[in-house]
Amino acid sequence: MVVVTGQSKGSGDPDEAMSSSDAEDDFQEPATPTATQAGQALPLLPQQFPEVVPLNVGGTYFTTRLSTLRRYEDTMLAAMFSGRHYIPTDAEGRFFIDRDGTYFGDILNFLRSGDLPPRERVRPVYKEAQYYSIGPLLDHLEDVQPLKGEKVRQAFLGLMPYYKDHLERIIEIAKLRAVQRKARFAKLKVCVFKEEMPITPYECPHFNSLRFERSESEAKLFEHHCEVDVSFGPWEAVADVYDLLHCIVTDLSDRGITVDHQCIGVCDKHLINHYYCKRPIYEFKITWW
């Protein structure tokens, strides 16, 4: 390329002249690209990977075949090691994935031979499979315990109106009371009832014992709110009160909350004539430390 310096002879206008420095600025060699420019340019050049790939996953080292990482096309790992994306390397040349590597070995074992993790690691491996978008592994894990049982449990809890909101209310009330009283624990009353209206030996002569066959006017006679902090129910399913109590305690425990409960009686609120509520009331004790 020829660079013309000095003023052009055919131009008498100084504005149309190009100085030597101006020309050099326009035609100088490009500077070393910045990190941002490099990141933008790298995808244009396919990254090459060896047949045996050394990996550094959050500081834990692994070695696997490139074909293993690409086994399922629609996964994040297959996309990462397709050559379309830039994968940084550590000082030893291992390809770096910025993710906790505790359960990455279980991911590789499935990609290699279809092996599933032992039961105690199913939940955390499922979380990793979600992150790496490994659909076949997710499908297999959802069909084994404890996730298979969790699907059944969630189907039951789906019948509970505001179940998650009530759990949050239990936690907030217990926290507020413990802080106010400067106490290690807090107690609150929880009503768990399956039937909307009472079923007593005295009820049958007047009202049909099946809730959905009662008229609207009859149902309103039994509407009330027990004097408790939180109420769960009613629901229509085979699962009973003790099953729901187990769900409540399990979900609170999974959040690191220590909880004990015991039945302390029933609601004795008078409804009409000789009808009383009789819903069971439980005392929940939340221990904070």
Side-chain angles (χ1 to χ4, degrees), residues 268-281:
D268 287 326
K269 185 172 182 179
H270 178 256
L271 302 179
I272 182 175
N273 296 333
H274 50 273
Y275 297 102
Y276 291 81
C277 175
K278 301 304 180 184
R279 292 172 181 170
I281 296 180

Side-chain angles (χ1 to χ4, degrees), residues 10 44 59 67 116 119 121 167 193 202 214 244 273:
L44 299 177
S67 59
L116 298 179
R119 175 169 178 164
R121 294 209 298 269
L167 282 182
F193 63 99
Y202 307 101
R214 290 171 173 148
L244 183 56
N273 296 333

Side-chain angles (χ1 to χ4, degrees), residues 10 16 52-53 58 94 109 133 136 162 184 208-209 211 235:
E16 294 180 2
V52 177
V53 182
R94 302 181 185 91
N109 287 337
S133 302
Y162 310 111
R184 180 185 176 191
N208 190 303
S209 61
R211 180 178 61 205
W235 68 88

Side-chain angles (χ1 to χ4, degrees), residues 5-288:
T5 61
Q7 185 175 348
S8 174
K9 294 182 179 180
S11 174
D13 189 350
D15 293 335
E16 294 180 2
M18 178 180 290
S19 68
S20 175
S21 60
D22 290 339
E24 290 174 357
D25 289 342
D26 287 348
F27 296 96
Q28 63 185 354
E29 291 294 328
T32 302
T34 63
T36 302
Q37 293 170 335
Q40 295 172 346
L42 284 171
L44 299 177
L45 300 175
Q47 188 174 15
Q48 301 297 319
F49 299 100
E51 183 178 354
V52 177
V53 182
L55 299 171
N56 177 347
V57 184
T60 306
Y61 303 148
F62 301 91
T63 304
T64 190
R65 293 176 63 91
L66 181 61
S67 59
T68 298
L69 297 172
R70 295 175 174 177
R71 183 168 301 277
Y72 298 104
E73 293 182 357
D74 295 333
T75 66
M76 179 187 291
L77 289 173
M80 291 172 65
F81 290 90
S82 65
R84 302 190 306 269
H85 306 281
Y86 174 71
I87 309 297
T89 56
D90 62 13
E92 303 297 326
R94 302 181 185 91
F95 294 97
F96 181 73
I97 299 176
D98 193 10
R99 181 78 175 175
D100 188 350
T102 303
Y103 302 102
F104 192 77
D106 294 296
I107 298 294
L108 287 181
N109 287 337
F110 176 79
L111 295 176
R112 287 165 176 155
S113 55
D115 293 343
L116 298 179
R119 175 169 178 164
E120 62 271 16
R121 294 209 298 269
V122 166
R123 290 182 186 274
V125 173
Y126 185 83
K127 183 178 179 181
E128 294 304 296
Q130 287 179 313
Y131 176 79
Y132 293 110
S133 302
I134 306 176
L137 178 54
L138 292 172
D139 293 339
H140 280 81
L141 293 178
E142 288 175 356
D143 202 37
V144 299
Q145 290 287 51
L147 295 183
K148 189 171 185 178
E150 181 63 17
K151 290 176 66 176
V152 177
R153 192 178 81 99
Q154 290 300 327
F156 163 56
L157 292 179
L159 302 175
M160 299 294 106
Y162 310 111
Y163 174 77
K164 293 183 179 180
D165 293 338
H166 291 340
L167 282 182
E168 293 297 330
R169 181 167 173 78
I170 288 176
I171 296 172
E172 289 302 318
I173 292 175
K175 177 182 176 181
L176 180 61
R177 288 180 180 173
V179 171
Q180 289 177 339
R181 301 172 183 176
K182 309 299 187 292
R184 180 185 176 191
F185 61 86
K187 295 180 179 181
L188 60 159
K189 293 180 180 180
V190 178
C191 178
V192 180
F193 63 99
K194 181 177 180 179
E195 296 292 336
E196 176 126 29
M197 290 170 284
I199 297 178
T200 69
Y202 307 101
E203 184 177 357
C204 295
H206 297 276
F207 300 107
N208 190 303
S209 61
L210 296 178
R211 180 178 61 205
F212 55 80
E213 293 185 5
R214 290 171 173 148
S215 67
E216 182 177 353
S217 60
E218 291 171 344
K220 288 183 177 181
L221 296 175
F222 296 93
E223 289 182 356
H224 77 288
H225 298 284
C226 302
E227 295 181 358
V228 295
D229 297 299
V230 182
S231 290
F232 291 86
W235 68 88
E236 293 183 9
V238 175
D240 59 20
V241 168
Y242 299 103
D243 295 319
L244 183 56
L245 285 170
H246 181 272
C247 291
I248 297 171
V249 173
T250 298
D251 288 335
L252 290 175
S253 298
D254 286 345
R255 298 181 61 170
I257 297 175
T258 302
V259 54
D260 297 299
H261 71 281
Q262 62 176 348
C263 184
I264 58 174
V266 297
C267 177
D268 287 326
K269 185 172 182 179
H270 178 256
L271 302 179
I272 182 175
N273 296 333
H274 50 273
Y275 297 102
Y276 291 81
C277 175
K278 301 304 180 184
R279 292 172 181 170
I281 296 180
Y282 296 84
E283 181 183 74
F284 273 57
K285 179 182 178 181
I286 307 296
T287 304
W288 292 106

